[in-house]
Amino acid sequence: MTVHMPSETENVARVLADATSRHFGAPATIERLSRQSGGASRQTWSFDALVDGERHALILRRDPPTQGKTDRERAVAIDRATEFRVLQAAHAAGVRSPEPLFELTAQDALGEAYVMRRIGGIAIARKLLRDPPYEAARGKIASQLGEILARIHATDTATLPSLVRREAADHIAELRRSLDMLGRPQPVFELALSWLDRRKPAPLARPVLVHGDYRTGNYLVDESGVTTILDWELAHLGDPVEDLGWLCVKSWRFGAIDKPAGGFGTREELWAAYERAGGGKVDPTRAHWWEVFGTVHWGVICLNQAFKHLSGSIKSMEHASIGRRAVETEVDLLQLLKQGV
Amino acid sequence: MAQDRPSAAELLTAIADFLREEATPALDQAEPRLGFQMRVAVNSLAILEREVRLGPAADAREHERLVRLLGHEATLDELNKELARQLRTGERDESDAALMAHLDATIADKIAIANPKWR
């Protein structure tokens, strides 16, 4: 007698059929289910649900119950239930973001998971920066990113779930803890963190919803421009300029180094669009501070990605190799610190 | 005893060239995800080739500069730990020209190995 052991994909499909049927109140058939890129601990699956003859393009975001997250992931990233509520608030506030539909329950046994609508477009910077179909979109992206960011920051914080408030000082302390944990001396990062510490902006009286990972690679674009903002798992409350600075970190220009706004425009274009759309007036000194911070931040993330492999929490050549990208941010930091502002 | 040729750098170059020119196109056809991973691997081999060739002299220069900057002998790791501590406490900062010249030279050597095309 042969016993059929369902594969993980078959299991996910079965659970999704049940949960999607419950949500739509009619039987659902699941098609084209496939796992997208992403880590073992934080999975994204794409699928279609056929309900009453209508096809719904959907995404499952899922943290399996047993996969270990690193301590740092646990410390900085929000859980899926919180992410679902952040998406609800942002979507309701008119942000171009995926519409969250429903959460899976403990009985579904997929771990922390929810389903949202899938939106068209691609995120791959190399294609967006060079391929012909995106020619017209390229000229608009910097402004669109400014407008959308103003909307994100205008989200009524009363509609948000409980989020960590992270000010400049908290970020600096977190990166220093990270460097101590990694154990190798990093003089350039230490220099930059002390530079940042001496100049850190005062906490805001009213912190806003900060996306936390607002950069090229984390939004989708079609021929008309930006369609949706993805990857909300680092959302927190804090300084809106943090997102503007992060978007301008050189690593997100993917070679288009003369276009600081994510590889698509100038800082001034980005800021002007942000201000026109109701965002606060951008102080260039504050923006420079967050750009320097973002550069150290990405450098430490590179080291941490390698450490995930080195510590044995995941086995990944790709993660290991990212460790050798940290020096790119050291080059950038030495340049940035000389610019002053 | 010295190994016969190819040297480490020469052998790494030979492997990287083979993987890039012959294995990667075949993988791209068969399994694009693995083709991408292979590019990452080839890129890492190129880093190792440069490290084998340039690393020892770069480390020696860094060590020599650190001894001069900090005023005493110790291992490279110990000297970097001391410098990192001074930078965290603020004993030294970016107004120190000798410090900045050392960091510029060190990072120039590091990026020449990790990613010489980075601008």
Side-chain angles (χ1 to χ4, degrees):
Chain A
M1 193 181 86
T2 53
V3 179
H4 177 68
M5 291 291 290
S7 70
E8 193 190 19
T9 304
E10 285 169 335
N11 182 46
V12 170
R14 184 183 52 76
V15 172
L16 283 176
D18 282 355
T20 309
S21 302
R22 283 201 307 272
H23 173 73
F24 287 104
T29 310
I30 305 302
E31 289 183 359
R32 296 169 62 198
L33 175 66
S34 71
R35 171 104 175 259
Q36 310 290 293
S37 61
S41 60
R42 318 217 81 183
Q43 301 179 357
T44 301
W45 297 67
S46 172
F47 65 104
D48 288 357
L50 284 171
V51 186
D52 282 338
E54 195 182 344
R55 182 176 291 271
H56 298 270
L58 303 173
I59 291 282
L60 167 71
R61 298 270 280 165
R62 174 196 182 209
D63 292 2
T66 53
Q67 299 280 355
K69 293 179 202 171
T70 63
D71 289 345
R72 186 164 194 278
E73 281 174 311
R74 228 184 291 277
V76 297
I78 56 180
D79 61 31
R80 290 297 182 210
T82 308
E83 185 176 294
F84 184 79
R85 277 160 194 81
V86 170
L87 271 183
Q88 281 181 317
H91 193 76
V95 174
R96 280 185 210 175
S97 52
E99 181 188 354
L101 290 185
F102 60 91
E103 295 177 271
L104 278 77
T105 65
Q107 287 73 39
D108 292 320
L110 286 187
E112 290 176 29
Y114 69 86
V115 168
M116 63 189 195
R117 289 206 188 271
R118 187 169 80 234
I119 296 178
I122 64 157
I124 304 165
R126 180 172 43 80
K127 295 189 178 188
L128 295 179
L129 283 165
R130 290 168 193 98
D131 286 4
Y134 307 103
E135 180 66 50
R138 276 194 279 278
K140 295 188 246 174
I141 291 174
S143 301
Q144 289 175 330
L145 289 174
E147 287 159 28
I148 298 169
L149 197 53
R151 286 250 167 161
I152 293 176
H153 295 159
T155 305
D156 179 359
T157 51
T159 66
L160 290 168
S162 166
L163 291 175
V164 173
R165 179 169 176 172
R166 217 170 273 140
E167 303 289 352
D170 306 315
H171 280 293
I172 292 170
E174 155 69 20
L175 293 194
R176 282 176 170 160
R177 260 197 308 278
S178 230
L179 288 175
D180 290 342
M181 192 270 295
L182 292 164
R184 283 269 304 243
Q186 295 287 347
V188 175
F189 294 152
E190 296 291 353
L191 172 74
L193 286 168
S194 292
W195 184 97
L196 288 161
D197 203 6
R198 287 193 301 275
R199 292 164 176 78
K200 59 183 178 292
L204 296 184
R206 294 184 51 210
V208 305
L209 171 62
V210 175
H211 178 280
D213 202 3
Y214 198 77
R215 63 165 175 92
T216 298
N218 284 347
Y219 53 84
L220 297 178
V221 171
D222 67 13
E223 290 78 354
S224 68
V226 179
T227 57
T228 198
I229 306 299
L230 301 172
D231 293 298
W232 292 74
E233 63 194 44
L234 297 177
H236 58 273
L237 297 177
D239 187 336
V241 187
E242 179 183 339
D243 281 330
L244 288 164
W246 182 239
L247 177 61
C248 293
V249 167
K250 204 163 89 195
S251 299
W252 315 137
R253 299 177 206 167
F254 299 91
I257 56 169
D258 57 337
K259 304 243 173 66
F264 294 101
T266 64
R267 294 182 186 85
E268 291 70 21
E269 281 174 77
L270 172 72
W271 300 344
Y274 179 79
E275 289 169 3
R276 273 198 310 276
K281 178 107 187 78
V282 180
D283 169 7
T285 307
R286 203 176 182 105
H288 180 72
W289 190 95
W290 282 108
E291 194 174 318
V292 174
F293 173 78
T295 307
V296 194
H297 194 182
W298 171 237
V300 175
I301 290 171
C302 289
L303 298 176
N304 270 304
Q305 294 289 87
F307 190 76
K308 278 196 220 172
H309 169 84
L310 298 172
S311 67
S313 82
I314 55 160
K315 186 168 152 60
S316 161
M317 174 195 65
E318 212 180 323
H319 279 77
S321 70
I322 291 176
R324 293 296 188 98
R325 294 200 55 192
V327 61
E328 295 169 3
T329 67
E330 295 185 289
V331 172
D332 298 347
L333 283 168
L334 291 175
Q335 282 172 6
L336 282 165
L337 296 193
K338 281 172 201 159
Q339 282 168 19
V341 175
Chain B
M1 191 172 77
Q3 297 295 325
D4 301 318
R5 285 187 73 184
S7 68
E10 287 166 340
L11 192 50
L12 284 164
T13 301
I15 299 168
D17 287 349
F18 158 71
L19 292 176
R20 186 189 306 107
E21 288 157 25
E22 296 184 54
T24 307
L27 266 185
D28 278 344
Q29 297 258 311
E31 177 65 71
R33 197 185 64 84
L34 291 180
F36 171 76
Q37 297 276 326
M38 183 58 89
R39 283 183 175 76
V40 176
V42 168
N43 190 47
S44 294
L45 283 173
I47 294 173
L48 290 181
E49 187 275 326
R50 292 189 293 269
E51 184 165 333
V52 164
R53 197 158 40 83
L54 306 172
D59 285 357
R61 285 195 292 270
E62 182 184 6
H63 193 195
E64 197 184 305
R65 280 193 307 271
L66 278 167
V67 169
R68 223 178 316 133
L69 187 70
L70 298 173
H72 65 90
E73 267 292 348
T75 67
L76 185 54
D77 188 56
E78 285 163 353
L79 292 166
N80 267 318
K81 280 207 165 85
E82 182 178 341
L83 181 61
R85 188 192 53 74
Q86 291 183 355
L87 290 166
R88 184 173 297 193
T89 58
E91 276 170 63
R92 279 180 203 271
D93 61 31
E94 64 281 356
S95 64
D96 180 336
L99 165 75
M100 295 310 280
H102 162 68
L103 293 178
D104 280 338
T106 302
I107 300 312
D109 277 347
K110 247 178 116 174
I111 198 75
I113 290 169
N115 185 359
K117 291 196 196 124
W118 186 256
R119 294 284 174 274

